[in-house]
Amino acid sequence: MSAELDYKDFVHTAPGTLAGRYLRTFWQPVYCSHELPPGRAVPIRIMDEDFTLYRGGERGTPHLVGFRCPHRGTQLSLGWVEGDCIRCFYHGWKYDGSGQCIEQPAEPKPFANKIRIPSYPVQEHIGLIFAYLGEGEPPPFTRYPKLADPDIVLDVVRWNRICNYFNNIDNSLDNAHVRFVHKRHRETARDQIVKGDPRITVEETDWGIKRNVSYPNGAEVVAFFGMPNINYVNGQVVDSDIKRADVILFKVPVDDENHIHFEVRAIPLKGDYARRWLEGRRQKRTMEASSRAELVKAVLSGKLQLSDIDPNRTDYVIIEDEIAQTGQGKIADRRREHLGLSDAGVILLRKIWERELQALAEGQPLKQWTYRQDMIPVYPNL
Ligand code: FES
Ligand SMILES: [Fe+2]
């Protein structure tokens, strides 16, 4: 792609790409808090870069540092967490949370003060570990007070999806798909409220895009998209007991053909019952996780149909969205599309993205996006 058209390329996010540089100007979720116990280190890949994420063994602080040990290059996640430090598995060099090497056990003349690995600012909020992977000082960290309410339980999930993250970003603004992709919910309480084809209006806000979705029966839904890759909605059906929940979603590239769909659901349950519900949910999800990618591939290749899949799976809605989005191709070819009025949200989203990437390419100031506490999604009551 020629340099002057780079700002139309949202899909490539490796270091040095324009979209990659843009995404790196924001804090991004990189892992789920509950999946990283104290003393544990894991390798992670975000926007075509590898990192080591670990949680300190004593205070439980998460740290994000480079992927490889600079001695002879083995991957640091194999090593041991000691306090807030990580020790390499191969020859025991030890690094603190700032990436500074502080021990070289086999060296008669240690030169640890000359060795440093990259390290990145980390924050933890609403059950997610966020990192700032860009240059310079990070921007202010966004908090979501309604989701941090101690009276709700957060069901926090991370799904790897086998397509480019922008297939999923486009989907954030696409209400017209719900009636078809999530057809099964027509039988649920949700569809007694919202029936028929919605009329969608969208407007740019301080945070991204607000959308008002009006249904023929008068039901009005309000949802928010936060730049650059956040969707904040209400109305998602969780299970037959919990009809709807506030949900915030982040779509983060792993590489150009894979991304992570982070989802934080505010479950309106309390106390022991809430803890048991969450535990049961996580166990079921763990059992289902290993088969999901294969099911998606089987449906896409025609070996299975969606109707062959157990509709009681906790990830059924995820599978519905995943086959629609992956069915566009790993990277959707946007040059061949034919957009209509129902794509107003998608069109506005891309216009904003293009405007910001062009500003970045030309060294112009970027819009500073701000979440406000009154940006709360609305769904009609039963
Ligand atoms: S490779 Fe890490 S200490 Fe040798
Ligand atoms: Fe969907």
Side-chain angles (χ1 to χ4, degrees), residues 246-362:
D246 277 347
V247 182
I248 194 162
L249 310 103
F250 302 81
K251 295 110 191 255
V252 180
V254 171
D255 55 35
D256 291 343
E257 297 191 343
N258 296 276
H259 71 278
I260 308 171
H261 175 101
F262 288 100
E263 195 159 314
V264 178
R265 299 169 176 189
I267 305 297
L269 296 177
K270 286 186 187 174
D272 278 350
Y273 181 75
R275 273 189 291 281
R276 282 199 304 277
W277 182 89
L278 192 57
E279 189 51 38
R281 187 99 181 157
R282 282 180 183 163
Q283 280 174 8
K284 194 156 188 265
R285 192 175 284 137
T286 305
M287 286 189 312
E288 293 166 347
S290 55
S291 59
R292 201 189 69 259
E294 291 312 310
L295 288 175
V296 167
K297 284 181 196 158
V299 173
L300 288 170
S301 66
K303 293 192 186 93
L304 284 181
Q305 290 190 304
L306 183 59
S307 54
D308 296 324
I309 296 175
D310 174 7
N312 295 314
R313 286 179 65 106
T314 63
D315 57 0
Y316 194 82
V317 171
I318 289 293
I319 292 174
E320 290 173 329
D321 278 319
E322 190 159 344
I323 58 175
Q325 292 170 24
T326 310
Q328 293 179 290
K330 284 198 173 258
I331 300 177
D333 187 349
R334 293 176 175 77
R335 294 166 307 178
R336 294 175 192 275
E337 293 174 330
H338 299 83
L339 301 183
L341 289 180
S342 65
D343 297 304
V346 173
I347 292 165
L348 177 59
L349 168 81
R350 294 181 189 174
K351 212 170 106 190
I352 293 172
W353 257 82
E354 202 172 301
R355 182 189 76 204
E356 295 301 306
L357 289 197
Q358 186 168 11
L360 182 64
E362 292 170 357

Side-chain angles (χ1 to χ4, degrees), residues 68-76 87-95 103-105:
R68 293 188 186 283
C69 172
H71 174 221
R72 293 220 332 261
T74 202
Q75 88 183 49
L76 267 178
R87 186 184 292 282
C88 180
F89 180 70
Y90 212 172
H91 316 92
W93 287 20
K94 182 172 170 177
Y95 304 87
E103 276 185 35
Q104 295 169 306

Side-chain angles (χ1 to χ4, degrees), residues 18-123:
L18 196 58
R21 280 170 56 208
Y22 185 60
L23 282 171
R24 284 173 178 82
T25 65
F26 298 84
W27 287 91
Q28 297 290 346
V30 296
Y31 215 68
C32 298
S33 296
H34 71 277
E35 293 183 295
L36 190 71
R40 178 87 197 269
V42 289
I44 61 170
R45 185 167 181 78
I46 303 286
M47 293 187 272
D48 266 315
E49 282 189 280
D50 293 306
F51 305 92
T52 307
L53 176 69
Y54 68 95
R55 192 187 287 286
E58 283 148 28
R59 285 174 298 174
T61 311
H63 300 281
L64 186 69
V65 295
F67 182 60
R68 293 188 186 283
C69 172
H71 174 221
R72 293 220 332 261
T74 202
Q75 88 183 49
L76 267 178
S77 59
L78 302 169
W80 297 271
V81 175
E82 298 180 2
D84 276 313
C85 302
I86 187 161
R87 186 184 292 282
C88 180
F89 180 70
Y90 212 172
H91 316 92
W93 287 20
K94 182 172 170 177
Y95 304 87
D96 68 16
S98 75
Q100 179 63 51
C101 184
I102 53 172
E103 276 185 35
Q104 295 169 306
E107 286 304 310
K109 290 187 181 169
F111 49 97
N113 61 330
K114 297 203 175 95
I115 306 289
R116 194 180 186 105
I117 53 175
S119 79
Y120 304 85
V122 171
Q123 293 268 4

Side-chain angles (χ1 to χ4, degrees), residues 10-11 13 19 23 163-169 251 253 259 353:
F10 313 140
V11 303
T13 60
L23 282 171
C163 63
N164 184 265
Y165 80 111
F166 220 91
N167 291 19
N168 197 355
I169 300 245
K251 295 110 191 255
H259 71 278
W353 257 82

